[in-house]
């Protein structure tokens, strides 16, 4: 049959990010290692990607000066109920303060050396996704379209970011898969998926409105009954969205088939 339209991958990360040996690393303040840096709120995609290119050059320079390795901070999780002593917090390179309670355990930041064998070991997010596009299946026409739309975590998209997100979805064929990712595949990914779904509804001519109009009903089918689509037509045809966290090809996200 005819090849599928190329997927559109929308990366919503607002933080400066690099992949070293396939693992994503971000810039963080030493005293706030579990929080994104506030200085990047509202940053443009162009400036963000320029900073990532500069950071890549700095990492490669440091690796060349340090015998092919760079000092990084890794997050290590110790599950509740673990044996005392010998855990991440007692590691000789564990930071004094940065621990964070997480469901089922405690997260600790540990300084460690990461090997850098050569320039190919360090990639910006754009380089990672474009390399994935180069190896795309022949069944997909044109590989993959990559778009960076920085969103601030825990906040509504700014008008320019919202417009960029709408343009990325509206500019693709209506049957092209749209992949949305952020850091954990949670808040920002959900926002991106919601916007993409609304755009696809408009492009596919799916009617809105209440019960009986092909929209969403009010869920009043009995006490405790959840709201749900009132008909199969409430979801546009060929809608393919996936929310992924970029710790590899995906994972940690949600998907809307």
């Amino acid at each position: 049959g005819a090849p599928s339209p190329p997927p559109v991958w929308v990366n919503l990360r607002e933080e400066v990010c690099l992949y070293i040996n396939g693992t994503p690393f971000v810039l963080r303040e030493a005293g706030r290692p579990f929080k994104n840096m506030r200085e990047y709120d509202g940053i443009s995609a162009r400036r963000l990607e320029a900073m990532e290119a500069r950071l890549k050059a700095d990492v490669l320079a440091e690796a060349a000066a340090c015998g092919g390795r760079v000092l990084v901070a890794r997050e290590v999780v110790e599950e509740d109920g673990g044996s005392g002593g010998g855990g991440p917090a007692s590691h000789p390179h564990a930071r004094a303060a940065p621990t964070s309670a997480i469901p089922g355990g405690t997260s600790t930041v540990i300084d460690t050396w990461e090997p850098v064998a050569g320039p190919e070991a360090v990639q910006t997010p754009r380089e990672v996704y474009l390399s994935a596009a180069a190896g795309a299946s022949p069944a997909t026409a044109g590989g993959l379209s990559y778009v960076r739309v920085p969103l601030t975590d825990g906040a509504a998209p700014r008008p320019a970011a919202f417009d960029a997100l709408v343009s990325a979805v509206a500019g693709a064929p209506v049957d092209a898969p749209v992949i949305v990712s952020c850091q954990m595949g949670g808040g920002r990914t959900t926002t991106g998926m919601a916007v993409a779904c609304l755009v696809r509804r408009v492009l596919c001519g799916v009617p809105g409105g209440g019960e009986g109009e092909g929209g969403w009903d009010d869920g009043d089918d009995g006490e405790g009954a959840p709201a749900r689509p009132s008909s199969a037509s409430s979801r546009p045809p060929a809608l393919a969205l996936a929310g992924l966290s970029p710790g590899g090809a995906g994972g940690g996200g949600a998907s809307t088939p």
Side-chain angles (χ1 to χ4, degrees):
S4 302
V8 178
W9 196 307
V10 184
N11 181 355
L12 302 179
R13 297 199 73 167
E14 187 180 55
E15 49 274 22
V16 176
C17 178
L18 279 185
Y19 287 75
I20 304 177
N21 299 320
T23 299
F25 291 88
V26 297
L27 286 179
R28 294 282 169 84
E29 295 174 3
R32 301 175 65 249
F34 301 105
K35 301 290 185 180
N36 290 333
M37 296 179 67
R38 302 184 183 97
E39 290 82 358
Y40 298 142
D41 289 4
I43 192 172
S44 69
R46 176 180 295 184
R47 184 183 176 202
L48 183 60
E49 293 192 330
M51 293 175 68
E52 288 170 341
R54 172 62 185 271
L55 180 60
K56 175 182 177 178
D58 290 345
V59 168
L60 291 175
E62 179 178 333
C66 297
R69 60 181 188 169
V70 292
L71 188 64
V72 299
R74 284 187 174 273
E75 182 180 2
V76 179
V77 175
E78 182 176 21
E79 296 183 358
D80 288 340
S83 58
S90 64
H91 191 282
H93 297 295
R95 307 275 187 87
T99 60
S100 176
I102 61 174
T106 301
S107 183
T108 304
V109 172
I110 294 175
D111 293 333
T112 185
W113 289 100
E114 183 74 17
V116 177
E120 67 282 352
V122 183
Q123 292 180 294
T124 66
R126 176 170 290 276
E127 290 171 338
V128 169
Y129 292 112
L130 292 183
S131 65
S137 167
T140 302
L144 178 148
S145 176
Y146 174 76
V147 182
R148 185 73 171 268
V149 183
L151 295 187
T152 302
D153 196 15
R158 288 173 169 79
F162 182 86
D163 290 346
L165 183 54
V166 169
S167 297
V169 178
V174 294
D175 56 343
V178 176
I179 305 168
V180 184
S181 67
C182 59
Q183 179 182 352
M184 298 295 292
R188 290 174 287 185
T189 292
T190 302
T191 298
M193 292 176 69
V195 172
C197 282
L198 291 172
V199 172
R200 282 286 172 88
R201 286 178 64 89
V202 173
L203 294 178
C204 295
V206 178
E211 186 174 3
E213 300 179 10
W216 293 81
D217 69 19
D218 59 7
D220 192 17
D221 294 333
E223 187 175 355
R228 62 180 186 275
S230 59
S231 72
S233 65
S234 64
R235 183 172 293 176
L239 176 60
L241 295 175
L244 306 172
S245 65
S255 64
T256 301

